[in-house]
């Protein structure tokens, strides 16, 4: 009965009960399984973390040991324990850098030298490689390699298209360009590189394009230039010039267009050829009947001490003080006087014979300067003002009363290292005894004048004389002396 009832009931009502009991049993088994799995995972993670930590610590220890070994090698090598940060940096980069096999160590060292020098705070300090110094020395000597032209960068619109060009303002005497079909006033706009003409802009602008024109001795510079035609347009000039050495013209001169009694001598810088060129300029103008002289040192950045001494020796009496140098201890050293001096080699053009001292001392002269008249050009200006009471026309000068010197690392290290370091070594004062550094030299009272707006529309070297109001003021000054 019970059995039958149970069977009936089981059949009708209980068929689901066994399944529910099985599900709970399954869920229980899953929970246990998950718990066991979680424990296993946590245990594995803990074990892995422990092993990883030990591995990382081992790797760190290995790296530290390697670094210490590198430092120990440095210590052993230097022995006196005076190794520098740079030596440690170099060793670490060499040992661990992924790119160490690509290092150009000479280039890296040159960059370090440049950065170290620039970080001194001396705005005129610099590091030069031997090649850079050779090019610099060539410029200072008044020589160059290339085609022998002086140019100014100037945008030019031709048939609606703007070109960046080099306008030729001077072709130096006996330079390669003198034998070519180029003329003053032509505008160079393209240079041939590897058989293809590239514009000044394509070459990267002024400096890269100028370097492309210079090139190497014996090579051929192929250039395209615009030349104004009679119809208001431009014709294209193609020139092929074999590059060679030439002598720069730091001194140019002419008789004034507005007054034939006035001669204008422009000194663009004081390089080693300036004294010879200055003598020639003054004598040539005297031969033309010029009675009044304007020495134009606008935009003259300075130059070599021996050059300025030689030029002033022609204009001052023997023994006149040009400047006194002041060293980093405040001592007045190495006074420079006007007088005869003889040089050989590179400095030979700066020689002054005894009979040449003061040869132009009695000239009727004024000095024309502006805010870009600096350094040796300011010594020139101040010396003529202090000794000859010369009228100064134009604008207050730049104000650079310090001098720099170059040091050869090769000479100092018996050839172990190359390169040159330039640094400021002295300040200086002129005959008046007052420094003008960071102050400048002011024009004579009544003769201060800035370029007019009309004049400023022209490039300085292309400015017509009749629009140059500073020059016109200088002519007025020298005529009123």
């Amino acid at each position: 009965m019970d059995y039958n009832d149970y069977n009936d009931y089981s059949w009708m009502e209980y068929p689901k009960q066994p399944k529910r009991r099985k599900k709970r049993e399954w869920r229980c088994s899953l929970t246990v399984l998950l718990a066991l799995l979680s424990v296993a995972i946590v245990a594995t993670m803990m074990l892995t973390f422990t092993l990883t930590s030990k591995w990382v610590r081992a790797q760190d220890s290995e790296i530290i040991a390697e670094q210490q070994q590198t430092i120990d090698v440095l210590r052993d090598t230097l022995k006196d324990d005076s190794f520098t940060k740079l030596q440690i940096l170099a060793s670490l980069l060499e040992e661990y850098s992924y790119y160490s096999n690509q290092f150009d160590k000479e280039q890296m060292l040159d960059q370090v030298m440049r950065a170290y020098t620039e970080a001194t705070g001396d705005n005129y300090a610099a590091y030069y490689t031997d090649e850079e110094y050779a090019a610099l020395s060539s410029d200072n000597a008044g020589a160059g390699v290339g085609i022998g032209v002086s140019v100014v960068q100037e945008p030019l619109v031709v048939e609606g298209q703007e070109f960046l060009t080099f306008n030729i303002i001077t072709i130096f005497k006996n330079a390669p360009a003198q034998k070519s079909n180029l003329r003053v006033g032509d505008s160079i706009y393209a240079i041939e590189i590897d058989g293809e003409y590239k514009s000044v802009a394509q070459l990267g602008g002024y400096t890269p394009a100028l370097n492309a024109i210079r090139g190497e001795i014996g090579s051929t510079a192929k250039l395209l230039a615009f030349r104004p035609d009679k119809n208001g347009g431009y014709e294209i000039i193609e020139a092929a010039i074999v590059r060679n050495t030439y002598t720069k013209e730091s001194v140019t001169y002419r008789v004034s267009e507005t007054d034939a009694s006035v001669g204008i001598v422009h000194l663009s810088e004081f390089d080693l050829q300036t004294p010879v060129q200055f003598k020639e300029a003054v004598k040539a103008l005297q031969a033309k009947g010029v009675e009044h002289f304007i020495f134009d040192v606008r935009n003259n950045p300075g130059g070599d001490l021996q050059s300025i001494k030689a030029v002033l020796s022609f204009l001052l009496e023997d023994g006149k003080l040009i400047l006194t140098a002041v060293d980093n201890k405040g001592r007045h050293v190495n006074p420079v006087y006007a007088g005869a001096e003889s040089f050989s080699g590179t400095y030979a053009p700066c020689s002054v014979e005894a009979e040449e001292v003061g040869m132009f001392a009695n000239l009727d002269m004024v000095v024309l300067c502006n805010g870009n008249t600096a350094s040796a050009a300011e010594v020139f200006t101040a010396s003529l003002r202090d000794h000859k009471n010369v009228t100064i026309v134009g604008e207050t000068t730049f104000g650079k009363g310090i001098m720099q010197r170059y040091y050869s690392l090769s000479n100092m290290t018996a050839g172990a290292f190359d390169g040159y370091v330039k640094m400021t070594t002295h300040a200086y004062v002129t005959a008046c005894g007052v420094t003008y550094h960071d102050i400048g030299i002011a024009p004579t009272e009544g003769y201060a004048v800035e370029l007019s707006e009309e004049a400023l529309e022209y490039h300085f070297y292309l400015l017509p004389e009749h629009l140059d109001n500073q020059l016109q003021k200088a002519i007025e000054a020298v005529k009123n002396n």
Side-chain angles (χ1 to χ4, degrees):
M1 175 77 176
D2 292 336
Y3 181 78
N4 287 333
D5 286 343
Y6 176 78
N7 282 335
D8 290 342
Y9 185 76
S10 296
W11 181 262
M12 295 300 297
E13 293 292 330
Y14 285 94
K16 295 180 181 181
Q17 292 297 327
K19 289 184 179 179
R20 281 200 296 271
R21 282 196 295 271
K22 286 181 181 180
K23 190 172 184 179
R24 280 197 294 269
E25 290 172 4
W26 178 78
R27 284 179 179 173
C28 180
S29 300
L30 181 60
T31 301
V32 172
L33 181 61
L34 287 173
L36 291 173
L37 183 60
S38 297
V39 170
I41 291 172
V42 170
T44 302
M45 288 176 64
M46 291 179 66
L47 178 61
T48 302
F49 178 78
T50 301
L51 293 174
T52 302
S53 297
K54 289 181 179 180
W55 182 81
V56 169
R57 285 197 298 271
Q59 292 298 306
D60 286 345
S61 298
E62 185 177 344
I63 291 172
I64 291 171
E66 288 178 354
Q67 292 174 349
Q68 186 60 49
Q69 184 178 7
T70 301
I71 293 173
D72 289 342
V73 168
L74 279 172
R75 290 182 187 275
D76 292 341
T77 302
L78 295 164
K79 298 187 185 303
D80 61 355
D81 204 30
S82 63
F83 59 90
T84 66
K85 276 186 176 182
L86 181 58
Q87 288 167 313
I88 290 178
L89 175 62
S91 295
L92 291 176
L93 288 171
E94 181 69 24
E95 188 69 24
Y96 304 117
S97 173
Y98 180 76
Y99 302 99
S100 60
N101 62 339
Q102 301 175 26
F103 288 170
D104 184 333
K105 294 181 181 178
E106 284 298 319
Q107 184 181 35
M108 291 167 67
L109 185 57
D110 284 342
Q111 292 302 318
V112 170
M113 297 291 283
R114 293 185 206 282
Y116 194 92
T117 306
E118 291 173 3
T120 61
D122 179 354
N123 292 332
Y124 299 96
Y127 168 78
Y128 300 93
T129 64
D130 282 355
E131 293 77 13
E132 291 167 338
Y133 181 76
L136 192 69
S137 297
S138 177
D139 284 341
N140 184 50
V145 173
I147 64 173
V149 297
S150 180
V151 300
V152 294
Q153 183 174 281
E154 186 179 45
L156 188 68
V157 177
V158 179
E159 297 181 353
Q161 183 178 354
E162 183 172 285
F163 292 85
L164 189 61
T165 71
F166 291 137
N167 186 278
I168 300 174
I169 59 172
T170 306
I171 297 178
F172 299 132
K173 296 176 183 177
N174 301 316
Q178 248 196 354
K179 302 174 183 178
S180 74
N181 56 336
L182 287 180
R183 300 176 189 169
V184 171
D186 289 348
S187 297
I188 299 170
Y189 72 92
I191 301 100
E192 186 186 71
I193 304 293
D194 297 329
E196 179 183 356
Y197 278 108
K198 293 189 177 181
S199 69
V200 172
Q202 287 174 327
L203 289 170
Y206 184 84
T207 300
L210 205 58
N211 289 335
I213 293 175
R214 285 172 177 160
E216 299 179 356
I217 295 176
S219 60
T220 299
K222 292 186 177 181
L223 314 168
L224 295 178
F226 293 120
R227 178 178 296 167
D229 60 26
K230 296 179 180 180
N231 301 317
Y234 295 91
E235 60 176 315
I236 295 177
I237 304 299
E238 185 171 9
I241 306 170
V242 178
R243 299 177 176 98
N244 208 334
T245 57
Y246 60 88
T247 300
K248 296 193 302 180
E249 290 180 285
S250 58
V251 180
T252 55
Y253 62 93
R254 70 180 191 276
V255 176
S256 169
E257 298 171 2
T258 55
D259 192 324
S261 70
V262 176
I264 302 160
V265 180
H266 182 255
L267 298 95
S268 61
E269 61 181 311
F270 287 93
D271 62 35
L272 303 189
Q273 296 295 326
T274 302
V276 172
Q277 294 177 7
F278 180 80
K279 278 191 300 183
E280 292 175 351
V282 175
K283 287 181 178 180
L285 288 172
Q286 287 178 322
K288 293 177 182 291
V290 165
E291 301 172 359
H292 313 286
F293 288 82
I294 296 172
F295 296 131
D296 186 354
V297 288
R298 290 178 295 177
N299 301 319
N300 184 321
D304 192 273
L305 177 60
Q306 294 301 332
S307 175
I308 186 62
K309 177 189 172 181
V311 171
L312 285 171
S313 292
F314 301 141
L315 294 164
L316 302 177
E317 290 79 9
D318 189 33
K320 292 295 185 181
L321 179 66
I322 294 174
L323 61 83
T324 300
V326 182
D327 66 15
N328 58 6
K329 296 178 176 61
R331 298 174 299 190
H332 286 246
V333 297
N334 304 326
V336 178
Y337 300 95
E341 192 162 8
S342 179
F343 295 98
S344 59
T346 305
Y347 276 86
C350 293
S351 298
V352 179
E353 301 295 333
E355 60 272 18
E356 293 178 326
V357 177
M359 64 191 297
F360 302 135
N362 295 321
L363 290 181
D364 182 21
M365 53 189 162
V366 301
V367 176
L368 177 56
C369 55
N370 65 5
N372 293 323
T373 301
S375 194
E378 291 176 286
V379 173
F380 177 85
T381 303
S383 295
L384 293 180
R385 177 199 62 187
D386 296 344
H387 290 299
K388 309 299 293 182
N389 196 29
V390 167
T391 300
I392 310 301
V393 182
E395 304 166 71
T396 299
T397 62
F398 183 82
K400 180 179 180 287
I402 50 179
M403 62 178 68
Q404 287 71 45
R405 185 176 178 183
Y406 294 85
Y407 293 88
S408 166
L409 297 183
S410 178
N411 290 344
M412 296 173 66
T413 63
F417 299 102
D418 57 10
Y420 289 77
V421 177
K422 180 180 76 168
M423 69 184 78
T424 299
T425 57
H426 296 84
Y428 54 80
V429 294
T430 53
C432 68
V434 178
T435 181
Y436 56 80
H437 186 60
D438 287 336
I439 299 172
I441 300 168
T444 303
E445 186 177 354
Y447 289 97
V449 57
E450 296 181 357
L451 282 176
S452 66
E453 290 187 8
E454 186 177 15
L456 288 172
E457 292 181 2
Y458 290 81
H459 190 284
F460 176 76
Y461 290 101
L462 304 176
L463 176 60
E465 182 176 317
H466 70 280
L467 294 179
D468 188 344
N469 58 306
Q470 287 181 329
L471 179 58
Q472 294 302 317
K473 191 70 173 179
I475 293 172
E476 174 191 323
V478 77
K479 294 286 287 186
N480 289 338
N481 280 348

